[in-house]
Amino acid sequence: MSEKKSNLPALIGIVILFLFIILLENIRSFIPGLPMIFDPMSPLFTVLKKAAVYSLVAVSMNLLNGFTGLFSLGQAGFMLLGAYTYAILTVPSAMKDQVYYLFGGCAFQFSLVDFFQGIFGSAGAGYAVGLILSCLIAIILAGVVAGFFAFLIGFPVLRLKSDYLAIATLGFAEILRAIFQWQTLGPVTNGANMIKGFPTFTSFNITGAGGQVVLRLSTFVPFLITTVCIAIIVLLINSSYGRAFKSIRDDEIAAEAMGIRLFSHKMLSFVISSFFAGVGGAMFAMYVANAQAKAFTSTMTYEILLIVVIGGIGSVSGSVLATFLYVACSEWWLRFLDSEQYIGSFKVPLLRNGFRMVVFSVVIMIIVLFFSQGIMGNREIDLNAIFTGKKRRSGSQGK
Amino acid sequence: MDNKAKKNALHIENVTMQFGGVVSVNNLSIDVPEHDIIALIGPNGAGKTTAFNCITGVYKPTNGLIEFMGTPMVRSYPSGKDRKNYKGENADKYRGKSVLNPTPDEITKLGIARTFQNIRLWNSMTVFENVLTAKHMRAKQNVFSAIFRGNRSEEKRMREETMELLKEQGLDAYKDENATSLPYGLQRRLEIARALATDPKLLLLDEPAAGMNPQETLELADFVQEIREKYDLTVFLIEHHMDLVMNISDYIYVIDFGSEIARGKPDEVQSNQKVIEAYLGVGEEEG
């Protein structure tokens, strides 16, 4: 919190982390003999990418639920808005007829990708610049659209408290999902079908003349975007506005009596949180390489809420840490429970498809029952301390 | 009134607060002259805190006018269903004038700060942050300048002023401690410091000596007088502790069952028969 402290060690640490991730993803191109785990298709990279996306959404949810004390469950709805905004804006015109074939083409012909390729050319460095710019603008617009909708529904919804707010936002997210699946809007949203063909994380891999991949950046890109976004959220939390948010969480009546405008501050937190949820949604679309309304169910919100609770309500680093653990468990470490396993000739009982979720539920129940504060409570991992080695704490997997 | 010459910081006129059929505050009129310490006393349930909540915007009074520094701040009259059920007086006095009903934060911005009967500190924050957060209202900044640190000088000023305020209140030794881990007396003091951080002209203290021992109460009396001088404040307080009230008040209003039963200088009030009855209760055999 003190201003005198330099953030240089943390910055250097993050740069080292980025370089490490780039190296990790490309290491098998240099040393082909390495185990399969370093293959770009291995679960390791799936986990890293998905966790990078989810950690941004988890932190944005924590800003609202943990720091402002507004129990909102609309995160999946705002992600959906972000994902669709990103997808609709970036599908190249050439792809549109193919994607929207059920509706006889797309009603929205503009594409940011084509627009920038028209300016910078469609090959070499010009293509790269165009790609980066179009993705960047589309991601920001994804956030803006989500934030704008948050602003609109904030007027009625933010007058509600606790459970009622949760129900209202959950309902909003479900309504959005239904609207986006509505056939009448098909020429824009492609109805219940998925939108695809837009730039994904894989598009950022640098390819040589023959089409072979020279340098893989598909894991680095989500890390970069998430890090920038989380840094902005942390700056907000540590600012005067962040303190005002916390005062509203701690005691609304006292906050109002000290001159903090409740409604405008709640709205601010809601809009900013939704903005980053929208950005997270755009990244989610990039990660799964399609945008489809049925992916953004309330289950997704609960998943993120669970991550926030496991990480510690009111801890940014806790949310990031919990995301990586949660995603790693659900996508990788507990996968073996879903198939038959043999130890020697002994067949391990119970293991069959779906058993992973049983074990997973038990693990989560144990966490919620015995570690109700979550991993971090409301403490934070001090990055500067970690990278200068002054005060080393365990479990510094996050950024 | 003998305080006519002085300008009133707060002027309460015919304020009535009715909840359903219950009249909590009935036709209350109080003047709080600038730079004075005025006390509002009364037995439990007399409507003291309700009166405070009308001043600070927590409740909208059913009827009446509240002026702050000479300008109307709250104005209300019973209308519709409230008018039919209205049991108070002066129902038509404010009719036809615009209704003024500012929110608590707007009232704080005008320069009225308050403390609470049951301490309401922000419990996840340190002593320093509690005071610093109260400075948020008057800070010149917006979200973007705050996020990207364009408000560096403003933030620095807020921190310096907070530190200064904590030093003046003798709380600087505890600045990094959690607010709720302080001893009770210091928590009260911190709440006053936090109220002072909003740069008020009028300080409302809701039972500041509640739960304090005699020694702490004495210290509090000195403290209130000290901050009045130092920050050029007007103080309006609700209190149960007669010692404290008699020591420091310039003028006292006594209410019971929502209505004023006496007003005057401390010694006048102390010898008032009605006040004694209200406090000690009228015995059944006598009444």
Side-chain angles (χ1 to χ4, degrees):
Chain A
M1 282 297 277
S2 96
E3 281 191 304
K4 299 283 179 290
K5 205 165 62 185
S6 161
N7 285 320
L8 198 65
L11 282 177
I12 294 171
I14 287 168
V15 171
I16 292 172
L17 179 81
F18 284 168
L19 292 175
F20 176 73
I21 284 166
I22 296 174
L23 179 73
L24 196 66
E25 204 179 10
N26 291 288
I27 197 158
R28 218 162 173 271
S29 336
F30 310 124
I31 317 165
L34 283 172
M36 278 309 283
I37 189 69
F38 294 106
D39 186 84
M41 293 297 127
S42 84
L44 173 67
F45 295 100
T46 313
V47 166
L48 287 179
K49 282 178 213 170
K50 189 175 177 185
V53 175
Y54 265 44
S55 54
L56 173 59
V57 185
V59 171
S60 82
M61 192 173 196
N62 210 342
L63 171 68
L64 197 57
N65 291 19
F67 288 94
T68 322
L70 295 172
F71 189 41
S72 153
L73 293 176
Q75 232 59 8
F78 296 113
M79 284 177 78
L80 180 144
L81 282 169
Y84 269 84
T85 307
Y86 174 81
I88 291 167
L89 283 172
T90 52
V91 175
S93 302
M95 292 289 290
K96 287 205 168 176
D97 282 343
Q98 193 190 330
V99 172
Y100 289 90
Y101 75 98
L102 278 173
F103 298 95
C106 180
F108 183 78
Q109 279 304 324
F110 177 77
S111 161
L112 276 171
V113 174
D114 294 336
F115 176 72
F116 281 108
Q117 278 185 5
I119 297 173
F120 298 105
S122 56
Y127 170 76
V129 173
L131 180 73
I132 291 168
L133 272 179
S134 52
C135 288
L136 190 67
I137 291 173
I139 284 176
I140 291 171
L141 284 176
V144 169
V145 168
F148 177 70
F149 271 82
F151 177 72
L152 288 185
I153 71 151
F155 280 101
V157 157
L158 289 179
R159 300 189 189 280
L160 304 169
K161 291 212 162 91
S162 62
D163 316 3
Y164 301 99
L165 176 66
I167 294 164
T169 44
L170 191 65
F172 166 76
E174 290 298 305
I175 290 168
L176 265 187
R177 194 161 59 85
I179 290 175
F180 273 78
Q181 287 176 321
W182 188 24
Q183 292 293 320
T184 314
L185 288 177
V188 180
T189 63
N190 208 11
N193 314 300
M194 58 175 68
I195 303 179
K196 53 191 172 190
F198 50 79
T200 64
F201 291 142
T202 326
S203 315
F204 288 91
N205 288 341
I206 297 170
T207 50
Q212 82 283 14
V213 177
V214 180
L215 184 66
R216 289 180 191 280
L217 293 175
S218 62
T219 311
F220 164 68
V221 171
F223 268 80
L224 179 68
I225 301 171
T226 297
T227 308
V228 170
C229 290
I230 291 180
I232 292 173
I233 295 176
V234 169
L235 284 173
L236 172 73
I237 288 169
N238 289 336
S239 78
S240 184
Y241 283 87
R243 291 191 296 268
F245 292 163
K246 287 184 216 164
S247 76
I248 292 174
R249 171 192 67 187
D250 285 357
D251 193 325
E252 223 175 82
I253 293 169
E256 202 176 20
M258 293 303 127
I260 292 163
R261 292 195 73 107
L262 288 187
F263 185 74
S264 59
H265 280 84
K266 283 179 178 178
M267 182 64 103
L268 191 66
S269 173
F270 192 48
V271 168
I272 292 174
S273 165
S274 304
F275 175 89
F276 287 111
V279 171
M283 283 165 68
F284 185 79
M286 290 170 94
Y287 160 70
V288 293
N290 66 61
Q292 195 174 19
K294 79 172 181 199
F296 301 94
T297 55
S298 49
T299 318
M300 190 183 227
T301 305
Y302 296 140
E303 218 175 9
I304 295 157
L305 178 66
L306 197 63
I307 289 171
V308 172
V309 172
I310 292 173
I313 291 174
S315 168
V316 172
S317 44
S319 290
V320 175
L321 192 63
T323 312
F324 279 85
L325 289 176
Y326 178 91
V327 174
C329 286
S330 71
E331 300 284 323
W332 185 17
W333 295 340
L334 297 181
R335 280 275 164 183
F336 73 94
L337 296 168
D338 267 3
S339 52
E340 291 179 352
Q341 301 286 335
Y342 292 89
I343 301 171
S345 60
F346 171 70
K347 179 173 175 287
V348 183
L350 290 173
L351 297 192
R352 62 180 61 101
N353 199 15
F355 188 66
R356 176 176 58 111
M357 292 320 288
V358 177
V359 174
F360 204 55
S361 309
V362 172
V363 169
I364 286 162
M365 272 162 65
I366 290 171
I367 289 176
V368 173
L369 279 176
F370 298 106
F371 305 92
S372 54
Q373 288 284 299
I375 302 171
M376 296 297 296
N378 55 10
R379 289 160 296 154
E380 294 287 354
I381 297 170
D382 188 348
L383 280 184
N384 288 317
I386 287 168
F387 291 117
T388 49
K390 267 184 215 147
K391 200 170 65 179
R392 194 169 271 276
R393 282 195 209 158
S394 59
S396 55
Q397 188 186 356
K399 301 173 301 307
Chain B
M1 270 207 53
D2 48 347
N3 280 317
K4 271 269 155 43
K6 260 181 162 177
K7 215 178 130 200
N8 280 334
L10 190 72
H11 171 71
I12 301 172
E13 198 180 289
N14 306 120
V15 165
T16 300
M17 182 78 230
Q18 185 176 342
F19 297 102
V22 182
V23 182
S24 289
V25 174
N26 188 15
N27 207 25
L28 190 65
S29 295
I30 294 175
D31 282 309
V32 182
E34 266 185 289
H35 206 62
D36 274 7
I37 298 180
I38 305 296
L40 177 64
I41 62 171
N44 272 330
K48 304 183 298 287
T49 300
T50 308
F52 249 40
N53 283 340
C54 288
I55 302 168
T56 53
V58 177
Y59 297 142
K60 177 188 170 217
T62 318
N63 187 41
L65 169 75
I66 300 172
E67 281 182 354
F68 179 59
M69 295 291 170
T71 38
M73 180 174 74
V74 177
R75 184 163 50 208
S76 176
Y77 56 86
S79 58
K81 211 176 110 208
D82 285 346
R83 183 169 161 71
K84 245 193 317 193
N85 300 332
Y86 187 62
K87 292 181 183 166
E89 296 156 53
N90 295 313
D92 290 316
K93 191 167 173 186
Y94 304 100
R95 178 164 301 277
K97 290 178 183 146
S98 57
V99 172
L100 300 171
N101 181 28
T103 54
D105 57 271
E106 286 164 347
I107 287 174
T108 310
K109 194 144 201 180
L110 290 174
I112 301 181
R114 73 171 294 182
T115 64
F116 295 91
Q117 189 174 351
N118 43 343
I119 299 174
R120 285 181 179 272
L121 289 167
W122 295 310
N123 50 24
S124 75
M125 298 192 203
T126 62
V127 170
F128 183 75
E129 284 171 325
N130 261 279
V131 178
L132 184 59
T133 307
K135 292 231 166 255
H136 177 72
M137 174 184 73
R138 300 224 189 266
K140 290 179 192 66
Q141 60 184 4
N142 60 45
V143 200
F144 295 102
S145 73
I147 294 176
F148 299 108
R149 300 295 185 259
N151 62 345
R152 228 172 259 272
S153 58
E154 188 75 4
E155 179 86 13
K156 193 162 163 258
R157 179 187 64 78
M158 281 158 67
R159 281 170 189 274
E160 282 167 3
E161 285 180 9
T162 303
M163 209 49 235
E164 207 177 307
L165 193 60
L166 286 178
K167 272 200 193 110
E168 284 167 6
Q169 310 302 333
L171 289 163
D172 53 329
Y174 309 95
K175 79 180 179 73
D176 291 324
E177 274 183 50
N178 199 299
T180 42
S181 69
L182 291 184
Y184 193 76
L186 287 177
Q187 287 194 27
R188 285 258 173 232
R189 187 171 277 215
L190 175 58
E191 231 199 355
I192 295 174
R194 186 179 67 173
L196 289 176
T198 62
D199 297 334
K201 299 187 192 91
L202 171 67
L203 185 62
L204 305 181
L205 303 173
D206 195 346
E207 301 210 12
M212 281 188 177
N213 60 36
Q215 176 59 30
E216 284 174 325
T217 310
L218 271 177
E219 282 173 21
L220 183 79
D222 291 342
F223 177 65
V224 171
Q225 275 167 330
E226 195 186 300
I227 57 172
R228 167 178 63 167
E229 295 308 323
K230 198 180 260 170
Y231 302 98
D232 192 24
L233 287 172
T234 312
V235 179
F236 183 33
L237 61 95
I238 296 178
E239 195 40 77
H240 251 112
H241 272 253
M242 288 308 250
D243 317 346
L244 180 76
V245 175
M246 296 305 160
N247 267 333
I248 64 171
S249 310
D250 295 309
Y251 206 76
I252 296 175
Y253 290 83
V254 190
I255 60 172
D256 194 14
F257 297 111
S259 308
E260 181 187 316
I261 55 170
R263 62 165 77 179
K265 296 234 173 339
D267 44 339
E268 295 166 17
V269 167
Q270 227 163 355
S271 52
N272 187 307
Q273 192 55 37
K274 273 187 179 170
V275 177
I276 295 166
E277 276 171 15
Y279 264 84
L280 301 176
V282 186
E284 285 298 316
E285 64 280 7
E286 293 165 27

